Amino acid sequence: MDKEFDVLLWGATGFTGRLTAQHLADRYGVDGEGLRWTIGGRSLEKLEALRATLNASDGQLTPVVADANDLAAMRDAASRARVVCSAVGPYTRYGSNLVQACAENGTDYCDLTGEVQWMRAMMDAHGEAAQASGARIVHTCGFDCIPSDLGVLYVQRAMHERHGTYAKQVKLRVLDFRGGFSGGTIASMIELVEQASQDAAIRALLADPYSLNPPDADRGLDGPDRLTAFYDEDFAAWAAPFIMGPVNTRVVRRSHALMGHPYGPEFRYDEAIAFPKLPTPGAWAAANAAAAASAGAMGAMTLRPVRELAARYLPQPGSGPSEQQMADGHFKLALLARHPEDKAKNVLAYVQGDRDPGYGATAKMLAESAACLAQDGSNAPGGFSTPATAMGASLIERLANHAGVRFSLG
């Protein structure tokens, strides 16, 4: 039976939700001819205000109003759309009923979460239902973790096309990154640290490099996340841990497992920030400072008084960078696929974005992920997929054509 909407954008009135809605309106219009999409959330007043900013007329973008804490309401909302696109966080607080509803209804779903413990809980609780209904549940459809997940797919395909083999190791290095944080992201980080500080099982889960893999999947050779600065000979640069690496790496490893381990049982993947443009003394200092700052910030956040201060004084949910800050933002990532035998055959790829990575670019990634699920054919079965396994090359093409995110070979 045909659904009322192709895409329901849930949480449309939040900071990232509004950006996502604007991209959908700019790209597909609001008349339902290119894509039958609409907006949803708990406040009719805010949804109507958003409709006005998008210049929607009567009968266009009919709001879906419901409370995320009401499972019956989420089931009704999910039943009306082919794809639900969720921009509501922290997902641990506001996302579980919607995932359950989509898994039960056979409704495809995508979101922006980077909350590893919540993703694991959703997979364990609703994986069988999604497989049975055919629902494709795809987390991390933003800067967490599309550039990483699709970047590995892209560079490995290039390796195979050129040399008939896959790399046993891929390294992602952040070469340039400029952007801000929204209140929603900060709230999600505080929620994650809060849970981890109270639950040893969650701390163990977060420390496991294969925590998002299917339970019966073989484990590879990757160890714990690196916490200190190091010199990377492949990039001839000092490097430091990347704050998003603990999420991105686990999604890439899950993709590899879901694809049947095509890169082999010894495949390894890691991420870091590289400082290749600085002279050695400056690069060494910058890498060590970045590593210390990251470790210090996470350590401080384990203290309840620090979390309370952060929640009070840092940007609140619904807020984020200015339009100018997002326009000035950008990112450039390099992925090096190491040939298993001959380093002269290594393959280098780049992923670049022309907007603030966390919001300007992420909103477009989320919107195009939803449209990809709704409009492009896919052989992905029902269950908890990843951007690479659910959408793959189709999404790479969409991002290049419509989201300012480009994949290229060096």
Side-chain angles (χ1 to χ4, degrees):
M1 182 176 66
D2 195 25
K3 299 292 184 75
E4 185 179 353
F5 306 110
D6 292 325
V7 173
L8 166 60
L9 173 58
W10 186 253
T13 61
F15 186 82
T16 305
R18 294 194 302 270
L19 295 174
T20 306
Q22 188 63 61
H23 178 77
L24 288 169
D26 292 343
R27 168 90 170 88
Y28 299 100
V30 297
D31 56 11
E33 293 186 3
L35 182 75
R36 297 175 304 154
W37 70 281
T38 195
I39 54 179
R42 64 180 180 179
S43 170
L44 179 59
E45 180 180 0
K46 291 181 178 180
L47 290 168
E48 290 290 2
L50 177 60
R51 286 183 70 251
T53 66
L54 299 174
N55 298 316
S57 303
D58 290 344
Q60 297 176 339
L61 301 185
T62 304
V64 175
V65 183
D67 188 334
N69 294 317
D70 185 337
L71 179 56
M74 290 296 94
R75 284 171 170 153
D76 179 69
S79 70
R80 299 173 66 180
R82 295 177 60 200
V83 179
V84 171
C85 172
S86 177
V88 175
Y91 290 89
T92 303
R93 291 187 184 180
Y94 306 117
S96 299
N97 284 337
L98 184 53
V99 170
Q100 179 178 345
C102 288
E104 293 172 350
N105 270 286
T107 301
D108 290 341
Y109 167 95
C110 57
D111 67 26
L112 295 170
T113 188
E115 299 160 57
V116 171
Q117 83 290 5
W118 180 72
M119 289 187 274
R120 181 74 267 168
M122 293 298 98
M123 294 172 189
D124 293 343
H126 308 299
E128 291 184 2
Q131 290 172 8
S133 71
R136 294 172 293 175
I137 310 296
V138 191
H139 297 305
T140 64
C141 290
F143 194 73
D144 281 351
C145 303
I146 278 178
S148 304
D149 199 32
L150 294 185
V152 171
L153 179 70
Y154 179 84
V155 76
Q156 285 281 33
R157 286 185 174 180
M159 173 66 79
H160 196 268
E161 289 172 1
R162 290 182 179 183
H163 305 302
T165 189
Y166 289 113
K168 301 302 182 186
Q169 181 180 13
V170 174
K171 296 180 173 184
L172 181 146
R173 297 294 178 258
V174 180
L175 302 182
D176 199 3
F177 182 100
R178 182 175 181 180
F181 289 94
S182 81
T185 294
I186 292 169
S188 293
M189 293 174 65
I190 292 173
E191 182 76 13
L192 171 60
V193 176
E194 177 82 27
Q195 291 190 12
S197 66
Q198 298 176 2
D199 191 330
I202 290 179
R203 292 196 296 274
L205 179 75
L206 297 177
D208 182 358
Y210 293 92
S211 58
L212 292 183
N213 276 30
D216 58 349
D218 292 335
R219 299 170 68 88
L221 300 181
D222 283 310
D225 300 310
R226 189 189 294 268
L227 301 178
T228 59
F230 63 98
Y231 186 77
D232 187 335
E233 293 185 356
D234 287 316
F235 284 85
W238 278 90
F242 181 40
I243 192 171
M244 296 180 179
V247 181
N248 297 339
T249 53
R250 285 151 179 77
V251 173
V252 168
R253 292 166 193 147
R254 178 174 177 83
S255 291
H256 187 224
L258 291 177
M259 290 187 291
H261 300 96
Y263 315 143
E266 298 179 350
F267 174 67
R268 291 181 292 154
Y269 176 71
D270 71 279
E271 298 189 352
I273 304 172
F275 299 89
K277 296 181 180 180
L278 296 177
T280 298
W284 176 88
N288 278 277
S294 177
M298 292 306 295
M301 289 293 286
T302 63
L303 304 174
R304 179 179 291 275
V306 175
R307 293 197 300 272
E308 291 176 349
L309 285 172
R312 181 179 301 178
Y313 293 110
L314 292 178
Q316 299 298 303
S319 65
S322 68
E323 290 187 13
Q324 188 61 51
Q325 288 173 320
M326 288 186 288
D328 291 342
H330 54 267
F331 64 89
K332 182 177 182 179
L333 315 176
L335 293 105
L336 178 69
R338 301 182 68 180
H339 190 275
E341 298 173 358
D342 184 355
K343 66 179 182 180
K345 296 180 179 179
N346 289 350
V347 176
L348 183 65
Y350 296 100
V351 184
Q352 300 178 75
D354 62 2
R355 288 292 185 272
D356 165 87
Y359 299 93
T362 278
K364 293 182 180 182
M365 293 182 205
L366 179 62
E368 292 301 328
S369 294
C372 188
L373 287 170
Q375 294 184 328
D376 298 354
S378 172
N379 294 323
F384 282 74
S385 296
T386 62
T389 58
M391 295 169 280
S394 293
L395 185 54
I396 290 175
E397 182 177 357
R398 280 181 173 271
L399 295 175
N401 292 337
H402 308 298
V405 178
R406 304 180 305 281
F407 296 73
S408 62
L409 295 174

